[in-house]
Amino acid sequence: MQEHVSLVYDIVHPPQAERDALYFWRQMALVATPESAPPRIPVPAALRPALSLFEAASEGSVNGGPSVPSAGALYPYEHFAIVGGPDDPAVFAVDVARRTCRLLYDREQVAQALERGGIALPGPDAYLILTVVRPWLSMRKYDDRGYLYAQLDAAHLGAHLLCLGSRSHHRAEWLTRAATAPLAELFGLGDRCRFLHSVLLLDGPAHARTPSPSTQAWSCTDERHMSPGAPPGDLPEGQSWRRLAVYRQEPPVRSAAVRRGALMPGSRDEPDRRCRPGGAELAARAVRRRSAKEFAAGDLPARALQDALTALATPLTTDLPPSDGFGATLVARRVVGLIPGTYPVLGGEIAAEPTGTAVADDDDIVRMCMGQEHLRHTCAAVVFHARHQEIFGLGMAGVEQALLRAGALAHLLCLSATDTGIAITTIGGFDAGRWHALAGIPGENEVLYVALLGVTGASAVKLDRLQRAYAHDER
């Protein structure tokens, strides 16, 4: 009888372990989209030029889109397109991987946000591409360092889109200091732990507007009246965002002026034509761009290295101000025609004489790159750096501007190295103090980014893109 009572009790009042398991099982359950899904609508004709740009940005990858940040990866960034001209603007969220777009906002509310920010659509053919960063996607793997990676990778992407836009449009401007707070507020980005990184203004298509066959596969839904979803709240992403918000600064209250010029100090106003973005040859470089998986033992010719570095003098149309305190230093290890040592790079030109002869053996290179063994046979490195005052004098806004400049220049270098046949990869996981000492950088400077060049190896696996954080010494 006692045994029967116990059995009944267990059925009516299951043990705690069973209740816990049932609760967690329900937490893991998935729920399909409700039947009241947003209505499908035709893809607007005004949106197709923006979709064509995204299609072009995805060319060259076996996976349908650049998967390596230094190749201008579209993921994990979110994108919005504002089209329709000044009289009928509309905002679409664009998912390049799924080939879908969602109409979110239109007309007066969009026009007001643009007007408050001083961001204008100059004509009916003009449109804006907005890149949005979700820091958690990087910081959950790399902790605080992940914020630096997110900024550098977004700079690569911005430069990638700018170069492609320059090819297909008469006007292409990369706005990195625009007054985007009204747009961010309209989109509810802060509530969803995101921020607007930059805006690309495109106008005057270089060719007649004919729909690209590749854009015919896109679909569109009307989600103007849909809820954006619950914010992360006390989940890890929400906690990380609130801690980050202490350091981040609000966007400018007034958009900055645009100018065309090189981002690298010491560049001539009119460098060699082959350096300029926007030509057919640059589009070909973007398609063929690959990040080196491994360097093989060997040497680089100095002439090819110099040809690659000329890309640092490429003029871009941006709102970034001149920065005399920014610099790049070449660390030559195995370069035929150059004495091993360190050379300032001024306007894309290698200095005639080394300023230092410090060398690092293969083990040193691996150690300075946080145990990344595939970089052992690096032939040369370009170290991007800037003065403390220029980085930190403006708070986090100065940090972000410095990283954007370094990332954009590194992207141009990647494209140029591809054209010269040099293997290249960029790393954000490095010992800044050791690189500072090796490159002989002045003490008031901070290392921002490092690009490594060498001879292509045989490996097909890029360790620092795997799940483990190899660049942080994780084994």
Side-chain angles (χ1 to χ4, degrees), residues 10-102:
D10 287 345
I11 294 174
V12 178
H13 303 283
Q16 183 64 40
E18 182 178 343
R19 294 199 298 272
D20 291 344
L22 180 60
Y23 171 80
F24 193 59
W25 176 261
R26 289 171 177 165
Q27 288 289 102
M28 293 189 290
L30 299 177
V31 180
T33 303
E35 293 183 5
S36 58
R40 293 172 68 93
I41 59 175
V43 176
L47 182 60
R48 291 200 179 276
L51 301 184
S52 296
L53 179 72
F54 284 120
E55 290 283 359
S58 299
E59 290 179 5
S61 169
V62 295
N63 299 317
S67 56
V68 175
S70 59
L74 295 169
Y75 178 82
Y77 301 98
E78 298 175 13
H79 300 90
F80 295 89
I82 302 182
V83 303
D87 298 327
D88 192 22
V91 176
F92 292 84
V94 179
D95 187 328
V96 182
R98 291 185 172 91
R99 299 301 192 269
T100 61
C101 43
R102 300 176 289 125

Side-chain angles (χ1 to χ4, degrees), residues 37 48 126 174 177 214 224 239 318 376 380 385 387 450 463:
R48 291 200 179 276
W174 190 17
R177 297 189 296 153
S214 60
R224 285 174 294 178
Q239 297 172 13
T318 76
R376 171 175 292 275
H385 49 88
R387 292 196 200 108
V450 180
L463 293 180

Side-chain angles (χ1 to χ4, degrees), residues 283-301:
R285 296 176 195 175
V287 171
R288 294 184 288 109
R289 165 77 189 101
R290 293 293 182 272
S291 186
K293 310 298 189 295
E294 177 189 47
F295 292 135
D299 301 319
L300 288 182

Side-chain angles (χ1 to χ4, degrees), residues 130-142:
L130 284 60
T131 297
V132 171
V133 177
R134 183 181 172 190
W136 175 247
L137 297 181
S138 184
M139 296 178 72
R140 65 186 177 185
K141 179 178 179 180
Y142 295 111

